[in-house]
Amino acid sequence: MFRSTLACGAVLMLAACGGAAAPEAVTPAGPTPTQTATLSESVRVLSSDEFEGRGIGTEGERRTIEYVSRQFAAAGFEPGGPNGSWVQPVTLRRFNMGGAEASISVGGRMLRLDQGEEIVMSTRLPDGDGHVELGNLPMVFVGYGTNAPERNWNDFDGVDVRGKIIVVLINDADFEDPSLNTFNGRAMTYYGRWTYKYEEAARQGAAGVLIVHEDAPASYGWNTVRNSWTGPQFDIERANPASERTALEAWITRDTAVELFRQAGLDFETLKAQARSPNFQAVEIPGATFDASYDLTSDTIETANIVGRLPGTTHANETVLYTAHWDHIGIGEPDANGDAIFNGAVDNATGTAALIELARLYGSGPRPERSIVLIGFTAEESGLLGSEFYAANPLYDPALTVAGFNMDGMNVLGRMTDVSVTGSGYSSLELDLARHAALQGRTVSADTEPQAGYYFRSDHFPLAKRGIPMLYADGGTALRIGGAAAVEAASADYRAHRYHQADDEWSADWNLEGMAEDIMLLYGMGLEIANNRVWPTWNEGTEFRPVRDRTAARRQ
């Protein structure tokens, strides 16, 4: 995942210091040419064609594990996986859909839906191996597809969607009208994420889901949908998949939805506006039926999280985490230039290179009191599956995991005046961030695009749900040379032309001083935490605090 505000900063080094008080900070001259050159080389290697887009379960994965673990070892880290291994094995089920065809019959007319054009279909339900037919299924528009009792909101109230295809809007009901403030205004909640839409549909017994794609509320274009969901899909092994997955998980274009509604005698914009109310009632789409067929094969594959550890000197059972996902999309459909390798240079060879640099920083200095663990997660692009697997099967005690820092899509533009927090207002780590950023001559900016729901789109989220204080901050809103306009232009260009596309490639022209400085910022924060007895906390009222509080006695 890549946020639209790219990362940046100045430099910080903190002296190791014990006790609860914050250590004295010292600020060196800046990132060295050696450091930026090393970062560039790591990104170049990881995003080269030889790594085949770092697809999971591929030769590219093997090369990635070999490269990263070799760099960790050279820095002085030891294997952090089970039985002295550099990896935590992760079992996933892989789904390959072929020969996909779909259509909607409505108003005496058939709307043909071509895979990748009007619709993108996928499935993660293994019960349908072989040829799957979904025929003549009724269709229901259920607004935002949200069931949130604590907000007195239930789009499924009074309608039975079992065995039907539901049509839902992306994001939350507040997106178009933040003044409603039922779902945090413009700040997306988890109810707005596509992952939630699919999960809730399964809980309601729907046969399938059609999410209406619109660029603004989705925060990405149709190309991203097509590139992300037309290849193999993955899921963790589930005891009862049918209770958690539907036979069809799909997106349709906005134009397709508008035409569907028009043919059924309905108005898309009118119903969309009505769906913003908690009193909205789901609407059966009169005369509309959905048909689809596809060939499905599924198998089980082993992928892996890459784990390195530097044991602490006096509190080795307490862990400070740094995380980034190593995977990307792999090899997909060729683009207009014939390029089929999705190299994933920014997303997320940069974050993986940052893990390697952090290993070098920690390995070259005095060993901290608490342990440092670096994790390169697998299958982030498939729905945060590697981090979800780790969170469900932790190698290090979550109650004694002090805090964590996630890195995903780092800065390649240069130094900035500030640092951006994704998911503002969650934990005391943000106060520490402000203090350390000030030493770099930077300020802290709140989440610039809370409506995009980036907080739910990277690997810190499964860990946060288990109560571990996690910070995702590695960006800024204004370059020191070029200002905010340059960041906005570069961000828009990346989203349009490179995000989840084959052109996300390494460039020798990148300015990695900002990336180096962000790494130093997170290193300084982690080093301070690793050498004192402070336990960062979730802010009062956040949904993650009660989970953390249940294990408070173990952190006395």
Side-chain angles (χ1 to χ4, degrees):
M1 198 286 296
F2 177 81
R3 295 175 303 154
S4 62
T5 49
L6 296 113
C8 201
V11 179
L12 178 66
M13 284 282 281
L14 294 176
C17 177
E24 287 292 320
V26 293
T27 306
T32 66
T34 300
Q35 188 180 38
T36 54
T38 301
L39 286 170
S40 182
E41 177 62 8
S42 293
V43 176
R44 186 195 68 78
V45 170
L46 288 162
S47 62
S48 64
D49 283 356
E50 287 75 16
F51 280 64
E52 301 177 347
R54 301 187 307 281
I56 60 179
T58 68
E59 175 65 15
E61 170 172 342
R62 186 194 66 77
R63 293 185 179 185
T64 302
I65 292 172
E66 181 182 87
Y67 179 80
V68 174
S69 58
R70 187 169 66 245
Q71 303 303 315
F72 283 176
F77 273 60
E78 64 181 36
N83 305 314
S85 170
W86 285 106
V87 301
Q88 178 190 33
V90 176
T91 301
L92 298 179
R93 186 168 284 276
R94 175 173 51 195
F95 304 90
N96 285 286
M97 178 186 285
E101 296 182 351
S103 64
I104 296 172
S105 298
V106 57
R109 181 183 171 197
M110 187 184 80
L111 303 178
R112 178 177 169 177
L113 309 178
D114 289 331
Q115 176 78 324
E117 299 303 321
E118 293 82 19
I119 192 170
V120 169
M121 297 187 290
S122 62
T123 187
R124 287 175 286 179
L125 186 62
D127 298 351
D129 277 27
H131 186 72
V132 179
E133 292 278 353
L134 302 174
N136 204 37
L137 299 178
M139 304 183 70
V140 186
F141 175 62
V142 292
Y144 287 88
T146 300
N147 181 16
E150 76 284 1
R151 299 172 191 260
N152 296 314
W153 193 288
N154 185 2
D155 286 328
F156 298 92
D157 188 30
V159 63
D160 184 357
V161 300
R162 287 176 294 181
K164 299 175 183 178
I165 298 294
I166 63 171
V167 180
V168 302
L169 302 168
I170 192 61
N171 213 310
D172 290 315
D174 287 1
F175 179 80
E176 304 288 350
D177 185 359
S179 66
L180 297 173
N181 204 33
T182 304
F183 292 90
N184 298 353
R186 291 281 285 185
M188 183 193 284
T189 71
Y190 189 57
Y191 294 116
R193 283 287 285 148
W194 61 266
T195 48
Y196 169 80
K197 312 289 184 182
Y198 292 155
E199 291 164 3
E200 188 59 38
R203 284 189 285 267
Q204 297 290 334
V209 191
L210 304 180
I211 299 176
V212 179
H213 175 267
E214 296 182 274
D215 286 5
S219 80
Y220 41 75
W222 182 252
N223 278 343
T224 297
V225 174
R226 177 168 46 210
N227 293 336
S228 301
W229 277 277
T230 51
Q233 300 299 301
F234 299 85
D235 199 7
I236 60 174
E237 289 277 37
R238 298 179 186 272
N240 184 13
S243 69
E244 301 178 69
R245 297 295 184 199
T246 64
L248 183 77
E249 298 177 343
W251 294 73
I252 57 174
T253 64
R254 182 185 184 281
D255 287 347
T256 299
V258 169
E259 181 62 14
L260 162 63
F261 281 45
R262 188 182 73 80
Q263 291 289 332
L266 304 172
D267 183 75
F268 176 77
E269 286 298 332
T270 298
L271 285 174
K272 182 179 174 182
Q274 292 174 1
R276 299 171 202 159
S277 167
N279 298 318
F280 171 76
Q281 293 290 310
V283 176
E284 299 269 358
I285 303 177
T289 57
F290 180 86
D291 293 88
S293 65
Y294 53 85
D295 297 321
L296 179 67
T297 59
S298 66
D299 59 353
T300 297
I301 67 165
E302 289 287 330
T303 180
N305 295 324
I306 310 169
V307 190
R309 183 173 184 257
L310 188 69
T313 56
T314 57
H315 301 285
N317 63 330
E318 299 173 2
T319 300
V320 177
L321 273 182
Y322 289 92
T323 65
H325 72 92
W326 62 257
D327 69 301
H328 198 56
I329 293 170
I331 298 176
E333 292 296 320
D335 64 8
N337 299 317
D339 189 355
I341 298 177
F342 290 71
N343 303 84
V346 172
D347 183 16
N348 188 33
T350 56
T352 308
L355 287 178
I356 293 170
E357 181 62 19
L358 285 161
R360 294 185 180 122
L361 289 167
Y362 277 105
S364 63
R367 185 165 294 196
E369 297 175 12
R370 287 165 159 165
S371 295
I372 307 298
V373 171
L374 312 175
I375 306 180
F377 286 123
T378 185
E380 189 268 359
E381 301 290 10
S382 301
L384 316 183
L385 298 181
S387 54
E388 178 64 31
F389 186 91
Y390 177 88
N393 305 275
L395 299 176
Y396 302 98
D397 191 341
L400 298 180
T401 298
V402 186
F405 305 90
N406 187 51
M407 298 168 292
D408 192 352
M410 301 193 74
N411 172 44
V412 297
L413 298 180
R415 300 176 62 193
M416 293 192 193
T417 62
D418 59 346
V419 57
S420 292
V421 177
T422 298
S424 308
Y426 276 104
S427 78
S428 64
L429 289 169
E430 293 172 45
L431 298 176
D432 297 333
L433 178 69
R435 177 165 51 84
H436 287 263
L439 294 170
Q440 297 183 317
R442 301 166 71 183
T443 58
V444 172
S445 295
D447 195 334
T448 55
E449 293 185 286
Q451 73 278 7
Y454 288 122
Y455 193 77
F456 313 109
R457 290 165 59 175
S458 195
D459 283 317
H460 59 280
F461 184 55
L463 301 169
K465 287 195 295 185
R466 269 70 172 192
I468 300 171
M470 296 293 298
L471 182 71
Y472 182 15
D474 60 358
T477 62
L479 282 163
R480 293 179 187 251
I481 300 175
V487 175
E488 292 168 3
S491 299
D493 180 70
Y494 179 85
R495 275 196 304 250
H497 301 117
R498 282 176 288 285
Y499 176 54
H500 282 205
Q501 298 178 55
D503 281 344
D504 186 3
E505 302 200 37
W506 171 84
S507 172
D509 295 331
W510 285 344
N511 180 348
L512 297 186
E513 288 189 0
M515 177 177 169
E517 292 171 344
D518 276 347
I519 292 168
M520 297 301 290
L521 173 59
L522 299 181
Y523 168 66
M525 289 183 66
L527 186 63
E528 177 181 288
I529 292 169
N531 283 301
N532 64 36
R533 302 305 301 145
V534 171
W535 295 88
T537 59
W538 293 106
N539 292 342
E540 194 70 46
T542 58
E543 57 266 47
F544 311 119
R545 180 157 181 155
V547 181
R548 188 67 164 179
D549 286 349
R550 286 198 286 270
T551 60
R554 300 188 55 204
R555 293 185 294 276
Q556 298 303 320

